[in-house]
Amino acid sequence: MSKKMMILGASALQVPAIQKAKELGYQIILVDYDENAVGFPLADVKLVVSTLDQEEVYKQALIYQPDVVITSTSDGPVRTAAYVNEKLGKQPDLSYADSLCATIKSYMRNRLKEHHVPIPEYYAVHDFNEFKSAVEQLKGYCIVKPADNAGSRGVVLLDEKQLPEEKDLLQTYEYSKGCSRNGIVMVEEFMTGAEVSVEAMTVNEETTIITITDKFITPPPYFVEVGHSEPSCLDAKTKEQIAGITKQAVKAIHLLNGPSHTEVKVTKDGPKIVELAARLGGDFITSKLVPLSTGVDMVGSSVLLATGAKIDLTRRRENGAAIRFIQGTEGVIKNISVDDKVYQLEGIEEVSIYKKAGDTVHQTKSSNDRIGHVIATGKTAAQAASRAQNALSYISIQYE
């Protein structure tokens, strides 16, 4: 009888992990709240269940008895996987208690502070009065974000000089709180400087840095990733510092085995942790960019590691890779056209469109507002980024 693997999440970002598990001969029990999720056709067992519903996922796990429960690129299911593995009596690579520190920002900040990992000044607030007090402590200029969510949802830069009325402060608070699953809002020091993500794998508590990725985000007040390039163009000393605090952070949350995706800001006082996730990086960073730039299969390695198998993290390439996301404006899409010449451009690996005619799109406030992406390669990260940016000019969007 073949072994069974329960995978939490069936979106496009999870598909590479699903495919790898199938290649390994596992029977796939796939869980997603969306009955039309693109990964479901690959499932042996399809369960239309929220990946955040820990008790229901556990109930289904008791029925189907998977050998292992994993997720790939989503934060919330990291907790569910840890919870279910523990309830099934399996030794998790991240305990449920520690999974809270990898997915809920207030827990994360407290844990990192406890272990002296460099982080910004922060406050976890539970009501509007606490929010006003925290804003005052940070002199009215700070980042406001939900304690429990991802994809830049509910993240905004607050400049009290531009929000003189209390009703405007309340609107900012309610916007972020509305995106927080647990109702807690983080108010944090606004850090300036280059921002990167660190893609890493931990095996038996030893963390290997695979690569450092430069991040490109929308201008304030919202902070949505519109592109990634790797390897990072930062100097060697700075990258060494980034690697050091990343390993500190991973150790602080007690990740025994598995991938991690850590976001870091390079401030005037040195690198500081923005957030840490005990999962693969999304936005096609680990599924597309890392293999193209390094030759390391982080997705396959993470699946293998979850099964207890040995993995190979040897770099086989030293290339540049980049992704640039297609942004829209407010309106209803009339037509999206992609000039076929884009596929003939050197280094263009992929052009993908998420939306269609008739869809309503918005100004980019979260990752859900992006319309598509272009992935390119080059001899360097700069060349790959230039090629990806150029390819965007071959894509035309018309609005009603």
Side-chain angles (χ1 to χ4, degrees):
M1 181 180 296
S2 64
K3 290 188 175 183
K4 303 174 186 176
M5 182 177 293
M6 177 178 276
I7 300 179
L8 308 183
S11 69
L13 291 175
Q14 306 270 13
V15 166
I18 299 168
Q19 292 171 328
K20 182 63 178 182
K22 288 187 75 71
E23 289 173 13
L24 294 172
Y26 277 82
Q27 182 183 359
I28 306 300
I29 305 158
L30 206 49
V31 182
D32 201 292
Y33 78 99
D34 180 5
E35 63 179 8
N36 298 312
V38 296
F40 269 144
L42 298 171
D44 296 294
V45 177
K46 171 183 172 180
L47 300 176
V48 182
V49 173
S50 169
T51 57
L52 303 181
D53 189 339
Q54 296 174 359
E55 293 301 335
E56 183 59 30
V57 174
Y58 172 53
K59 177 182 175 182
Q60 296 298 326
L62 288 175
I63 295 171
Y64 291 100
Q65 290 294 309
D67 294 279
V68 63
V69 181
I70 70 167
T71 189
S72 180
T73 60
S74 300
D75 282 323
V78 169
R79 294 199 297 272
T80 304
Y83 178 81
V84 174
N85 278 321
E86 280 192 1
K87 293 280 279 187
L88 292 175
K90 303 179 187 302
Q91 178 64 43
D93 289 320
L94 184 70
S95 73
Y96 179 68
D98 290 326
S99 76
L100 301 179
C101 299
T103 55
I104 299 177
K105 296 172 181 62
S106 52
Y107 285 74
M108 183 188 304
R109 286 280 182 249
N110 292 341
R111 177 68 67 83
L112 296 182
K113 182 178 180 180
E114 178 187 335
H115 286 77
H116 309 291
V117 180
I119 56 173
E121 185 179 352
Y122 71 97
Y123 299 88
V125 303
H126 302 78
D127 57 41
F128 184 55
N129 286 332
E130 287 186 4
F131 175 74
K132 288 194 296 182
S133 176
V135 170
E136 185 178 336
Q137 290 296 318
L138 292 172
K139 298 180 172 54
Y141 192 62
C142 48
I143 291 290
V144 181
K145 64 173 72 170
D148 188 10
N149 212 320
S152 301
R153 298 172 187 85
V155 181
V156 62
L157 172 64
L158 174 63
D159 185 350
E160 199 176 17
K161 293 176 184 176
Q162 298 176 8
L163 297 171
E165 302 293 332
E166 183 164 304
K167 65 180 177 64
D168 296 317
L169 284 176
L170 180 61
Q171 184 177 20
T172 300
Y173 171 70
E174 293 290 351
Y175 167 65
S176 191
K177 181 180 178 180
C179 295
S180 181
R181 298 187 185 105
N182 63 8
I184 299 173
V185 172
M186 303 298 294
V187 183
E188 300 184 347
E189 166 196 354
F190 176 58
M191 300 184 289
T192 58
E195 187 169 351
V196 301
S197 66
V198 185
E199 325 314 327
M201 291 291 294
T202 300
V203 182
N204 297 327
E205 299 184 69
E206 289 294 326
T207 298
T208 299
I209 307 300
I210 307 301
T211 194
I212 299 175
T213 307
D214 287 330
K215 293 162 59 74
F216 301 88
I217 59 177
T218 57
Y222 306 105
F223 297 85
V224 185
E225 294 161 3
V226 295
H228 306 278
S229 304
E230 57 184 48
S232 172
C233 295
L234 293 172
D235 63 87
K237 181 180 178 180
T238 301
K239 287 192 279 190
E240 185 178 344
Q241 293 172 334
I242 290 168
I245 68 165
T246 297
K247 290 181 179 181
Q248 263 187 281
V250 172
K251 187 174 182 179
I253 65 160
H254 304 152
L255 178 62
L256 304 179
N257 291 287
S260 60
H261 172 76
T262 306
E263 296 174 346
V264 178
K265 199 86 166 180
V266 183
T267 75
K268 61 181 177 56
D269 300 316
K272 294 183 180 181
I273 301 291
V274 178
E275 290 175 15
L276 179 150
R279 56 161 174 81
L280 294 167
D283 279 358
F284 305 97
I285 293 173
T286 44
S287 61
K288 303 280 185 166
L289 300 191
V290 171
L292 288 170
S293 66
T294 70
V296 177
D297 179 8
M298 286 190 69
V299 176
S301 294
S302 68
V303 175
L304 281 169
L305 195 56
T307 69
K310 291 184 178 181
I311 61 173
D312 181 5
L313 300 177
T314 304
R315 294 176 70 93
R316 294 175 172 82
R317 294 178 186 166
E318 295 293 341
N319 295 332
I323 185 170
R324 291 296 180 270
F325 291 99
I326 305 164
Q327 301 180 71
T329 57
E330 297 286 335
V332 177
I333 295 175
K334 181 179 180 180
N335 181 59
I336 302 177
S337 60
V338 180
D339 190 330
D340 287 341
K341 292 178 182 176
V342 72
Y343 300 105
Q344 300 168 16
L345 298 176
E346 187 174 6
I348 300 303
E349 300 285 337
E350 181 175 285
V351 177
S352 180
I353 305 297
Y354 316 149
K355 307 289 186 180
K356 63 184 184 305
D359 285 348
T360 299
V361 295
H362 304 283
Q363 173 193 354
T364 307
K365 293 183 179 180
S366 82
S367 57
N368 288 339
D369 296 323
R370 299 180 302 205
I371 293 175
H373 71 252
V374 174
I375 294 175
T377 54
K379 292 181 179 179
T380 64
Q383 185 179 60
S386 176
R387 288 172 172 176
Q389 193 66 38
N390 177 53
L392 295 179
S393 65
Y394 289 77
I395 300 165
S396 174
I397 305 170
Q398 296 177 309
Y399 296 89
E400 296 284 0

